[in-house]
């Protein structure tokens, strides 16, 4: 697989990584055996960047990776591992964020134990805590690099202005953001800021939570998946409108001799050498479909055809509900 740098001074990784939220039952039940099969496939396919978080299944995702590394001692040298912290609950049980030095270090310590490693390659603040300036958050994360618990730091779902300020306090290696043919707001400043500053843009949900694939999650399963059940793009009448529009996208992928998921990831790779998609899946076959995008080289004519079938702003419904919007920074 093509290699890309994880930040200007970071390690080389496969151009497409893996988002391990799928190990957490987020999109349906899974188990350790299935997760380990996906990790085997990652190694076979040249996927070297694994992205997880402490809240993915409340440790389930990290545990699955940890038990795999324990069973396959050589695998740790093959993977560049990222995890995240800061999402928590207040005393009343409401979702909140904590970017304090104490909280970030305590949560990272728990993650290191679950993963069975002494140090992660990348540690993100999962959301910005408004009680701390960007400079303070970066400094709190940077302490963990100095302590040898993380090799680099990142930010997730932040505005370009936050990134610029954070960079003044400590080098930011990566910014993670939802980015895909269905969620293109990063084009309005974040893609450009990351390129200018030498920061990797790690694109999560690159296949639109299954919409940009040949096999979207069946509508009858959606009520059993709390996140999607409350997500505007998966609620009627938006869902039907979106699925109808995406017929043209799937047909285009077939005409080009590839899968819809492969084409969606190839489009992201075309956005700049610093863009790294991290699709997630519970299925080895679906992983192969996503990774096929790394072998596609899209020409201007191909990109023009994509713009025709999925013009900017085509999706019906916001990417998040009001509740889901708590945390991500809006900058456009």
């Amino acid at each position: 697989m093509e290699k890309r740098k994880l930040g200007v001074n970071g390690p080389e990784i496969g151009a497409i990584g893996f988002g391990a939220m799928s190990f957490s039952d987020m999109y349906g039940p899974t188990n350790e055996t299935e997760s380990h099969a996906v990790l085997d496939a990652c190694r076979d396919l040249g996927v070297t960047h694994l992205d997880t978080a402490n809240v993915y299944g409340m440790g389930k995702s990290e545990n699955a990776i940890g038990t795999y590394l324990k069973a396959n001692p050589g695998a740790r040298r093959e993977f560049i591992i990222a995890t995240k912290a800061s999402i928590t609950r207040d005393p009343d049980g409401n979702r909140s964020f904590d970017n304090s030095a104490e909280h970030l270090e305590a949560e990272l310590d728990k993650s290191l134990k679950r993963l069975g490693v002494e140090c992660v390659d990348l540690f993100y603040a999962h959301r910005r805590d408004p009680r701390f300036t960007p400079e303070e958050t970066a400094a709190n994360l940077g302490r963990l690099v100095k302590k040898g618990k993380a090799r680099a730091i990142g930010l997730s779902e932040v505005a370009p202005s936050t990134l610029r300020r954070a960079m003044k306090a400590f080098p930011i290696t990566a910014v993670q953001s939802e980015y895909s043919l269905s969620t293109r707001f990063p084009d309005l400043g974040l893609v450009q800021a990351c390129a200018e500053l030498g920061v990797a843009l790690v694109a999560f949900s690159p296949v639109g939570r299954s919409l940009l694939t040949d096999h979207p999650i069946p509508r009858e399963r959606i009520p059993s998946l709390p996140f999607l059940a409350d997500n505007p793009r998966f609620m009627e009448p938006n869902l039907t409108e979106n699925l109808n529009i995406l017929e043209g996208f799937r047909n285009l992928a077939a005409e080009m001799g590839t899968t819809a998921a492969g084409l969606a990831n190839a489009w992201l790779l075309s956005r700049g050498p610093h863009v790294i998609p991290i699709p997630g899946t519970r299925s080895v076959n679906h992983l192969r479909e996503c990774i096929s995008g790394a072998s596609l080289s899209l020409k201007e004519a191909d990109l023009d055809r994509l713009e025709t079938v999925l013009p900017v702003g085509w999706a019906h419904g916001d990417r998040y509900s009001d509740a889901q919007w708590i945390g991500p920074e809006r900058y456009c």
Side-chain angles (χ1 to χ4, degrees), residues 52-70:
T52 185
N54 62 338
V55 294
Y56 293 169
M58 303 313 295
K60 181 175 180 178
S61 174
E62 290 178 330
N63 280 328
I65 295 171
T67 54
Y68 183 86
L69 296 178
K70 184 176 182 180

Side-chain angles (χ1 to χ4, degrees), residues 125-128 155-163 175-177 185 190 327-331:
H126 208 159
R127 293 290 186 269
R128 181 181 173 186
L155 303 172
S156 180
E157 294 271 52
V158 297
S161 56
T162 294
L163 170 62
V175 169
Q176 187 173 110
S177 181
F185 74 93
L190 190 61
E329 288 193 291
R330 300 189 186 192
Y331 52 88

Side-chain angles (χ1 to χ4, degrees), residues 9 13 18 25 38 62 122 126 129 152 157 184 206 219 221 227 239 243 252 257 259 275-276 279 319 324:
N9 296 315
I13 58 174
F18 180 75
D25 302 333
V38 169
E62 290 178 330
L122 178 60
H126 208 159
D129 178 347
E157 294 271 52
R184 295 177 61 170
R219 66 176 70 235
R221 280 189 54 219
F227 182 89
L239 178 61
L243 292 175
L252 175 59
T259 64
V275 177
I276 300 164
R319 75 178 181 110
Q324 292 162 353

Side-chain angles (χ1 to χ4, degrees), residues 202-213:
V202 177
F204 73 82
S205 296
V207 294
R209 307 183 193 280
S210 84
L211 288 176
L212 298 167
T213 72

Side-chain angles (χ1 to χ4, degrees), residues 11-38:
E12 283 196 334
I13 58 174
I16 297 178
F18 180 75
M21 181 185 281
S22 299
F23 293 168
S24 70
D25 302 333
M26 178 75 170
Y27 296 110
T30 188
N31 57 52
E32 192 172 89
T33 299
E34 293 173 341
S35 297
H36 286 191
V38 169

Side-chain angles (χ1 to χ4, degrees), residues 181 214 248-267 270 292-293 295-310:
L181 278 163
D214 290 312
F249 172 65
R250 287 189 284 273
N251 290 338
L252 175 59
E255 289 174 22
M256 295 173 65
T258 187
T259 64
L263 183 55
N265 282 288
W267 179 84
S270 78
S292 67
S295 63
L296 295 176
S297 180
L298 300 181
K299 300 178 174 59
E300 282 298 320
D302 299 322
L303 296 172
D304 289 343
R305 294 175 74 189
L306 271 168
E307 293 291 341
T308 298
V309 298
L310 293 183

